[in-house]
Amino acid sequence: MPLRRVLTSALASFTLVLASVGAVALSAGPAAANPCGFYETASDAYYNHCTSDGSHIVIEIDDWGPNSEQCVGPGVTWIGSASGVDGAWYTGRTC
């Protein structure tokens, strides 16, 4: 195999590897910013209902007293102060 063909193949392979690493890095960015389910920042607690069907679900919120329930739609919903919420989860019901 001529040297030119070997170098061209190696360059093409290297380019494909760089493109796939870039695609993985780009797709991981938004997911890490707003993970599905319960998450909190330094000051706020959120629930991200990741769905493509438009459903609304009931979540249970552990908020330092008797737990409460809330109906949330697709996307991110603020559920309280991080100091007042210890967690939240899907109850298995829609609303």
Side-chain angles (χ1 to χ4, degrees):
M1 187 181 260
L3 180 61
R4 184 176 185 177
R5 181 179 272 175
V6 170
L7 290 175
T8 304
S9 295
L11 181 60
S13 296
F14 182 71
T15 303
L16 282 173
V17 167
L18 283 180
S20 16
V21 167
V24 167
L26 286 175
S27 66
N34 294 327
C36 295
F38 171 77
Y39 69 96
E40 57 187 8
T41 63
S43 58
D44 296 296
Y46 299 92
Y47 191 89
N48 187 9
H49 176 37
C50 298
T51 184
S52 59
D53 66 5
S55 62
H56 287 65
I57 61 169
V58 177
I59 61 169
E60 185 172 341
I61 302 169
D62 183 358
D63 49 9
W64 302 106
N67 290 355
S68 60
E69 292 186 343
Q70 183 174 339
C71 179
V72 298
V76 177
T77 301
W78 181 82
I79 57 174
S81 166
S83 63
V85 176
D86 194 35
W89 54 90
Y90 173 49
T91 64
R93 301 187 329 257
T94 57
C95 49

